[in-house]
Amino acid sequence: MQKLIVQGGAPLSGEISVQTAKNAALPIIAACILTDEPIIIENCPQLKDIDAMLNIMRHLGCSAEFIGDNLHVCCRDVSLNVINADLTGKLRSSIFILGSILSRCRKAYISHPGGCEIGLRPIDLHISGLKGLSVKIEDEGGVICCDGGDMKSAVINLDFASVGATENLMMAGALLDGETVIVNAAREPEIVDLAGFINEMGGKVSGAGGSIIRVTGVKKLHGCTYRPMPDRICAGTFLAACAASGGCVTVKNVVPEHLFGITERLKKTGAKLSVRGGTVRITASGRPKAIHKLETNVYPAFPTDMQPQFCAMLSRAMGSSVIVENLFENRFGYTTELVKMGANITVKDRIAVVAGVPRLHGATVKACDLRGGAALVIAALSAEGCTEIYGTEHIDRGYEKIEQSFAALGARIERVQS
């Protein structure tokens, strides 16, 4: 078992380059199934979630290996093995491998997916969307059995702009005859990136980034080399950490417009931000200002994946902040650990009231989900004294060697065997 030891109270300073986006790389890896030719994914992050997806790919008969920072994938032979709970239980994103398998093989068998315990995250939208493409689906003993022998393109109107369901339908339609239209599609940058990847393989996807996506099926897709987008949530995490601890940090390798929902809220805390090309520079001093109301929603609004990190930052703010979580009903579980560090947070249903305190203190805490774990690191960096953070396996799902990233910014943080 590993833990992070953080000696807090030091301002952050320096430059940090953001890793490739986990939430872009995962569907792109799944989409590799759409072709039998080799794929190279450049600068792919080496994370626990990526490892979980690659284990699923290998279970299906694909080869996948890292050569340096590049991931080499080849799905020449795809076997219709049941993707069992041992594989899907570690990764919520395993559900959108359905679309690519069905597109290529017309059949798929997958156990219900797992992931962080931050809410129900039902798969109804995925199932109803695929049924709209004439896929026959049955749930047999926890295994979703899909028969796409009669699959055909259609117009699918999503009840909610789900990222995963949109990605699933994009992949499902890539090799179908005719045009698949996704109405009320998710607009996240990761959707645009997946469309770019499919198009690089010879697909025809248009409208990504808007609410209507059109996928014109092609007979065959080919291999390619592709570099996914930078991780906007990792970038936001570094920015929020600087706002909490003070200092001056330049975050490199970002797409600034992807961060607009984050940076505009950071400005409200009194932090000063400047953008130049693919970099964002933040300068912060003293305690941050409270944010009267911070509400999560789908892109381009404030992202739910940044909510815990902002809560940690606002724990030391001057005044009280109200955080409204609109997407996941159990996302405030991490706040009990912040309270151990002296935070004053009251949670009821999907609303948290954060009364800022002058200082947090070190404590022994445990990360129980990915972004909640990042919040604990931010709190520890800004706290007085030493904090021990257990549950590093959750943090490692989305951050590549987080201790090295923050140490490069002057933080006193190390990973040890407990």
Side-chain angles (χ1 to χ4, degrees):
M1 182 183 297
Q2 296 181 335
K3 64 181 177 181
L4 296 174
I5 298 179
V6 185
Q7 295 285 346
L12 301 180
S13 176
E15 296 182 349
I16 188 76
S17 188
V18 173
Q19 68 189 48
T20 293
K22 173 192 78 122
N23 290 336
L26 286 171
I28 285 172
I29 292 171
C32 291
I33 291 174
L34 295 171
T35 180
D36 59 4
E37 298 182 12
I39 297 286
I40 299 175
I41 302 173
E42 294 182 328
N43 200 33
C44 186
Q46 299 187 39
L47 306 165
K48 285 191 176 295
D49 272 9
I50 298 293
D51 288 342
M53 180 60 84
L54 295 182
N55 286 335
I56 292 173
M57 299 287 284
R58 295 179 184 118
H59 179 74
L60 293 169
C62 304
S63 65
E65 65 171 334
F66 277 96
I67 300 178
D69 292 331
N70 297 338
L71 176 63
H72 293 245
V73 181
C74 186
C75 300
R76 184 169 291 111
D77 301 307
V78 177
S79 304
L80 285 172
N81 297 321
V82 175
I83 305 173
N84 59 43
D86 287 343
L87 293 168
T88 63
K90 297 176 181 177
L91 181 67
R92 185 71 194 180
S93 301
S94 59
I95 188 64
F96 54 53
I97 206 166
L98 273 179
S100 56
I101 300 174
L102 281 167
S103 191
R104 177 166 169 181
C105 304
R106 296 298 193 263
K107 289 185 183 293
Y109 311 95
I110 184 170
S111 298
H112 282 268
C116 285
E117 298 298 327
I118 60 174
L120 294 175
R121 297 197 281 189
I123 60 173
D124 319 22
L125 290 172
H126 299 259
I127 300 304
S128 62
L130 292 172
K131 284 182 175 179
L133 298 179
S134 300
V135 179
K136 298 180 179 67
I137 300 178
E138 295 182 4
D139 194 330
E140 299 179 0
V143 176
I144 304 166
C145 303
C146 303
D147 181 353
D150 296 321
M151 278 178 76
K152 56 179 68 73
S153 56
V155 177
I156 308 296
N157 197 327
L158 294 175
D159 291 335
F160 174 77
S162 162
V163 174
T166 300
E167 291 167 338
N168 234 334
L169 292 169
M170 289 167 63
M171 288 185 269
L175 296 174
L176 287 182
D177 290 335
E179 184 180 71
T180 297
V181 182
I182 308 166
V183 180
N184 194 30
R187 299 165 57 191
E188 273 73 3
E190 292 79 5
I191 300 288
V192 179
D193 215 26
L194 177 60
F197 176 66
I198 294 173
N199 290 342
E200 191 69 22
M201 290 194 292
K204 296 181 179 179
V205 181
S206 62
S211 59
I212 298 177
I213 295 176
R214 300 179 185 276
V215 184
T216 302
V218 298
K219 295 296 183 184
K220 182 177 173 61
L221 294 171
H222 55 72
C224 69
T225 298
Y226 193 81
R227 179 177 288 253
M229 59 177 270
D231 197 313
R232 60 194 175 100
I233 303 303
C234 282
T237 299
F238 294 132
L239 294 171
C242 184
S245 298
C248 182
V249 169
T250 299
V251 182
K252 302 165 64 178
N253 186 37
V254 301
V255 181
E257 53 264 36
H258 292 174
L259 298 172
F260 189 75
I262 298 168
T263 53
E264 287 304 296
R265 273 72 177 185
L266 282 170
K267 290 176 183 177
K268 292 182 178 181
T269 69
K272 296 179 180 178
L273 290 99
S274 61
V275 177
R276 179 175 295 179
T279 66
V280 176
R281 182 182 178 90
I282 181 171
T283 304
S285 61
R287 293 170 61 191
K289 298 176 183 177
I291 298 177
H292 174 66
K293 187 178 183 182
L294 182 67
E295 195 162 359
T296 68
N297 219 316
V298 296
Y299 188 85
F302 182 77
T304 181
D305 277 358
M306 280 301 303
Q307 178 256 96
Q309 299 92 308
F310 263 63
C311 184
M313 173 192 63
L314 294 172
S315 295
R316 289 191 58 250
M318 294 180 288
S320 294
S321 306
V322 176
I323 301 176
V324 181
E325 173 55 57
N326 287 312
L327 300 181
F328 296 119
E329 67 277 8
N330 295 332
R331 186 129 226 184
F332 287 119
Y334 66 89
T335 59
T336 57
E337 301 302 293
L338 291 180
V339 170
K340 293 178 184 178
M341 301 178 68
N344 185 353
I345 305 171
T346 303
V347 176
K348 183 171 177 57
D349 299 325
R350 297 191 182 203
I351 298 175
V353 178
V354 186
V357 296
R359 61 188 62 83
L360 299 175
H361 56 74
T364 299
V365 294
K366 182 179 180 180
C368 294
D369 66 78
L370 168 55
R371 305 306 175 185
L376 295 180
V377 173
I378 289 174
L381 291 172
S382 66
E384 295 180 353
C386 178
T387 299
E388 296 185 2
I389 304 173
Y390 290 83
T392 56
E393 67 275 10
H394 294 288
I395 300 171
D396 294 341
R397 286 185 46 232
Y399 297 90
E400 197 168 12
K401 299 175 182 176
I402 194 170
E403 72 282 0
Q404 293 183 17
S405 297
F406 278 115
L409 296 176
R412 296 171 292 188
I413 179 173
E414 62 177 337
R415 183 186 297 253
V416 301
Q417 291 293 131
S418 62

